Amino acid sequence: MATLSDTCRNLLAHSRRYGPLYGERLANHLPMTLIALDRMGAPADAMQRAFDVNARRLEAQDGDIGAVADALAWLGKGRNAGGLERFFQESVRRAGLDAVLRGWVPRLLPGVSASAFHCLIRLAYAIDAGDLDETCAALAYWVMEYVTLDLAPDEVDEAPAAIAARLARAVAGHAPWDGIIIDHMRQAARHPAMAGTAIQPATLDLRQVAQFALGAYHAQEDFTLLHTVTACHAFRVVAPYAGDPRQALRYLWEAVVVASLTVEPAPGGTPAPAAGIDWQACMAQAARATDAHVIKLCYSAWCESLVYGDPRYLAIAARKLA
């Protein structure tokens, strides 16, 4: 794994003065943005510009840091990021990072949807960066925002797309979703039509989930669907620490399909593809961007294209840059 540049590592350290959330429970994307830019070859001035633009909206880390004896007691409490960071830093000092990840990732994966997948994504970027303090910050964020969807684990002999279509018909005509993405997902999961419904394919692998997410976002450029694509990339990075790979993948599928149910189909068919562009030009353009979602999508799409070879990854990245 390539080492981060000095510029990126310094800016990443400065970014931890800010809390994991800002405004109305919105995710702080700054650490992920910096890592993605560095991986795409952004020069120092571009990373500094992205830092300055994105830091303006963030809020300082909460100064009221409580001692944490057991992080499990703070699951889903939505506070004490600083205290939880210290807990994980001390845990890593005692047991080592690998042991901490192998102990905590399986415990947190039932909450893969937390903060609209951003906890998973931030942890994946931290692991990719090889940054211990950022990894501890990501684990703390996931603990404080932990939430589960709690749908039935029953399996059915249907393809993922068929299951998604069936569930979409079942929740059609729902009351308007309120709040932000994770609120929409929780409301969809609690829809009466979802109670006891089989949502898990009898056979499932990560490629199927990634292809479902890619196909949905390629067909409809929707903000929620964007996060399912980047979540699949993040899951692949975190998966070595996930414990039972089959169960972990089913948590991901549950969250991805529920997220898709919150998106209203758009009229007009698949958005037009961007004009011809290759990955080199795409990443060079993304490396000059300051929009966190543009940067992260382009990086995730590039990483996924290397694994799956699907040209639609370049199409969605180029379209986002257009």
Side-chain angles (χ1 to χ4, degrees):
M1 182 184 298
T3 304
L4 293 180
S5 68
D6 289 342
T7 297
C8 182
R9 197 167 294 283
N10 290 337
L11 290 174
L12 199 57
H14 287 307
S15 77
R16 284 190 289 276
R17 72 182 68 169
Y18 302 106
L21 300 173
Y22 69 97
E24 295 300 316
R25 296 177 293 135
L26 300 177
N28 170 2
H29 294 79
L30 182 54
M32 299 170 276
T33 300
L34 293 169
I35 294 166
L37 285 171
D38 198 59
R39 291 293 190 234
M40 291 190 293
D45 62 334
M47 283 188 277
Q48 183 66 61
R49 184 169 60 252
F51 181 99
D52 294 340
V53 168
N54 286 277
R56 289 174 193 150
R57 63 177 67 94
L58 301 179
E59 298 171 8
Q61 180 76 282
D62 189 349
D64 183 19
I65 299 174
V68 175
D70 180 8
L72 289 176
W74 291 88
L75 277 178
K77 296 294 180 64
R79 63 183 190 277
N80 200 18
L84 287 163
E85 282 185 39
R86 291 182 181 178
F87 170 86
F88 283 112
Q89 287 167 351
E90 178 60 22
S91 298
V92 168
R93 188 191 66 78
R94 292 195 311 267
L97 181 59
D98 187 77
V100 169
L101 288 170
R102 292 187 187 280
W104 276 94
V105 169
R107 180 63 187 82
L108 294 170
L109 274 173
V112 70
S113 61
S115 198
F117 301 103
H118 286 112
C119 300
L120 167 72
I121 296 169
R122 184 165 177 180
L123 179 60
Y125 275 62
I127 292 170
D128 177 53
D131 189 291
L132 188 151
D133 287 334
E134 177 58 21
T135 302
C136 291
L139 288 167
Y141 172 34
W142 202 340
V143 168
M144 63 181 278
E145 289 302 298
Y146 182 87
V147 65
T148 58
L149 298 177
D150 299 322
L151 293 175
D154 304 54
E155 298 176 10
V156 61
D157 190 17
E158 293 180 76
I163 293 173
R166 170 169 55 81
L167 297 177
R169 291 191 297 270
V171 304
H174 61 81
W177 311 123
D178 298 321
I180 57 177
I181 292 174
I182 185 56
D183 300 325
H184 299 174
M185 293 173 67
R186 297 185 72 188
Q187 290 160 41
R190 293 195 300 266
H191 190 284
M194 299 291 287
T197 301
I199 70 163
Q200 293 290 347
T203 59
L204 186 67
D205 60 35
L206 182 53
R207 177 184 289 271
Q208 288 176 290
V209 183
Q211 287 289 291
F212 173 81
L214 172 61
Y217 184 63
H218 183 259
Q220 181 176 347
E221 190 176 8
D222 175 87
F223 191 58
T224 295
L225 296 177
L226 179 154
H227 290 84
T228 67
V229 175
T230 54
C232 288
H233 165 224
F235 181 89
R236 187 164 51 76
V237 175
V238 172
Y241 306 98
D244 181 347
R246 186 174 186 274
Q247 185 57 58
L249 184 60
R250 292 190 179 280
Y251 289 131
L252 176 66
W253 167 248
E254 175 188 69
V256 167
V257 72
V258 168
S260 76
L261 299 179
T262 69
V263 177
E264 299 298 329
T270 304
I277 185 173
D278 61 17
W279 273 117
Q280 183 176 0
C282 183
M283 287 196 293
Q285 189 173 339
R288 296 191 297 270
T290 58
D291 185 307
H293 286 98
V294 169
I295 293 165
K296 288 167 53 193
L297 177 69
C298 289
Y299 178 59
S300 284
W302 175 59
C303 291
E304 294 293 82
S305 75
L306 295 175
V307 174
Y308 301 118
D310 193 316
R312 290 178 296 174
Y313 284 112
L314 178 56
I316 63 172
R319 186 175 70 193
K320 195 68 176 171
L321 288 165

